[in-house]
Amino acid sequence: MSHSQPISHAVHILNVEPGYEGQRIDNFLINYLKGVPKSLVYRILRRGEVRVNKGRIKASYRLQVGDQVRVPPVRMADKAEPSRVDSRLLDRLEAAILYEDKRLLVLNKPSGIAVHGGSGLNFGVIEALRQLRPEERQLELVHRLDRDTSGCLLIAKRRSALRRLHELMRGNGIDKRYIALVKGNWHRDRLEVNVPLLKNTLQGGERIVTVDPRGKESVTRFSVRERLGEWMLVEARLLTGRTHQIRVHAAHLGTPILGDDKYGDSAANKEIKELGLKRLFLHAETLRFRWPEAKQDEVFKAALEPSLEQLLNRMRAQLN
């Protein structure tokens, strides 16, 4: 979409570029007029103040390439300039890009960085990438990772790619595998956990997920990669994508993920901290999917950060 940021006192004429076709005009305006109440967006649509190709349209109108959209002046809340992301963080994210083409960017997200701003955070990965790639006007997260989880994160560079990837996700067409270090041992090398999860919000706004029959179906397949005495390095494959799914399922098995302050075991966390673990040991290692028109899979693999590799080596050395 060729435009600059909306200014409250000016009429804007926008030209719809490829990638935005098919989007409803109300959703487009809500996104374009960030900070404007939705009620105001629907009011200007009802009054006919928004025009497409000089004609009135309904909120359900779907944009087409080449449409000329007239956006009237709107009174916007005075907003501070968006936070500029620290250049050191931008450098870290630039170095963490695993792959990039016309449709897609794949990042090995560092632990400790949220995927998007909000809930007290001025910015996250997506805001930083938009600052890093100002010419890419359609950057969107395809999925999310918890703030403390590292690894493969998909960012679409075209709305058409975002739609296709979301279709694949809905049909289980994206194979996501994580690795985690857990406390304890299982008798078997493979386990499937199929217990429903319910998302709750605590008074402080913190989200907590519990195993609850009223929750949504949630399925994780675990397999043991390596047994390290009283610990195990395990692979987790998500068959559903619920909030905190792997962390809650691992804890449900009695083998919580190490470094997990929310669902973990504080004594085990203290013990492993002394060995050098300073974060949640959960890492999105591989992503595999196939574009509908392609003959072979796209496979992306994110290496563990050196501190986690060093920790595993120290644990192996202790066993010998």
Side-chain angles (χ1 to χ4, degrees), residues 254-307:
T255 48
I257 297 177
L258 291 159
D260 191 341
D261 294 332
K262 194 173 278 194
Y263 307 104
D265 175 312
S266 54
N269 286 347
K270 189 164 180 271
E271 192 183 346
I272 200 78
K273 203 170 185 178
E274 285 163 11
L275 270 177
L277 183 66
K278 294 183 172 68
R279 50 158 287 197
L280 175 73
F281 200 128
L282 181 61
H283 177 73
E285 185 183 49
T286 57
L287 275 173
R288 177 188 292 267
F289 67 89
R290 184 176 299 193
W291 293 110
E293 72 284 358
K295 291 191 166 61
Q296 60 191 44
D297 290 352
E298 300 276 355
V299 184
F300 304 105
K301 185 168 184 177
L304 273 181
E305 67 176 57
S307 71

Side-chain angles (χ1 to χ4, degrees), residues 236-255:
R237 183 184 173 200
L238 286 178
L239 273 71
T240 52
R242 310 291 174 220
T243 301
H244 300 168
Q245 179 175 319
I246 297 171
R247 296 163 65 182
V248 180
H249 278 174
H252 176 72
L253 289 170
T255 48

Side-chain angles (χ1 to χ4, degrees), residues 83 85 88 92 171 188 207 215 248-249 270 303:
S83 303
V85 181
R88 286 168 304 183
R92 267 183 86 193
R188 287 177 292 158
R207 283 193 304 187
V248 180
H249 278 174
K270 189 164 180 271

Side-chain angles (χ1 to χ4, degrees), residues 69-221:
V69 181
R70 175 195 186 274
V71 182
V74 289
R75 185 181 294 282
M76 296 177 72
D78 289 335
K79 287 180 72 179
E81 274 293 297
S83 303
R84 299 293 292 170
V85 181
D86 184 277
S87 62
R88 286 168 304 183
L89 176 58
L90 292 180
D91 291 345
R92 267 183 86 193
L93 291 179
E94 181 76 67
I97 294 170
L98 295 173
Y99 175 81
E100 189 173 3
D101 63 19
K102 293 198 301 284
R103 298 189 279 198
L104 191 66
L105 189 150
V106 187
L107 191 73
N108 183 356
K109 183 188 90 65
S111 174
I113 303 173
V115 292
H116 58 75
S119 62
L121 298 166
N122 289 330
F123 57 82
V125 167
I126 191 66
E127 291 84 6
L129 287 174
R130 285 171 184 154
Q131 195 173 310
L132 207 52
R133 297 272 189 282
E135 73 287 357
E136 297 289 353
R137 294 195 292 267
Q138 298 180 23
L139 286 179
E140 295 288 350
L141 291 166
V142 176
H143 60 110
R144 296 177 182 191
L145 289 177
D146 291 348
R147 182 176 181 171
D148 295 325
T149 303
S150 55
C152 286
L153 183 66
L154 289 178
I155 291 103
K157 293 172 73 172
R158 301 279 179 275
R159 286 193 61 83
S160 53
L162 183 69
R163 281 198 297 271
R164 284 182 154 194
L165 290 164
H166 279 168
E167 282 162 16
L168 285 173
M169 280 175 78
R170 282 194 293 274
N172 264 346
I174 300 186
D175 183 335
K176 296 184 198 164
R177 309 223 176 182
Y178 293 69
I179 49 175
L181 188 66
V182 302
K183 170 76 175 180
N185 270 287
W186 303 325
H187 297 308
R188 287 177 292 158
D189 282 345
R190 292 175 185 278
L191 289 172
E192 183 170 295
V193 182
N194 184 348
V195 293
L197 298 179
L198 185 67
K199 196 158 49 173
N200 303 290
T201 305
L202 303 179
Q203 275 179 330
E206 187 189 6
R207 283 193 304 187
I208 191 103
V209 177
T210 52
V211 171
D212 191 306
R214 296 169 299 163
K216 292 182 174 174
E217 183 194 24
S218 308
V219 186
T220 311
R221 283 190 187 145

Side-chain angles (χ1 to χ4, degrees), residues 38-56:
K38 288 184 184 179
S39 56
L40 178 56
V41 169
Y42 286 103
R43 195 179 313 143
I44 61 176
L45 280 164
R46 272 198 312 277
R47 288 179 177 169
E49 292 177 46
V50 176
R51 300 283 174 121
V52 176
N53 305 327
K54 300 187 178 172
R56 293 175 73 128

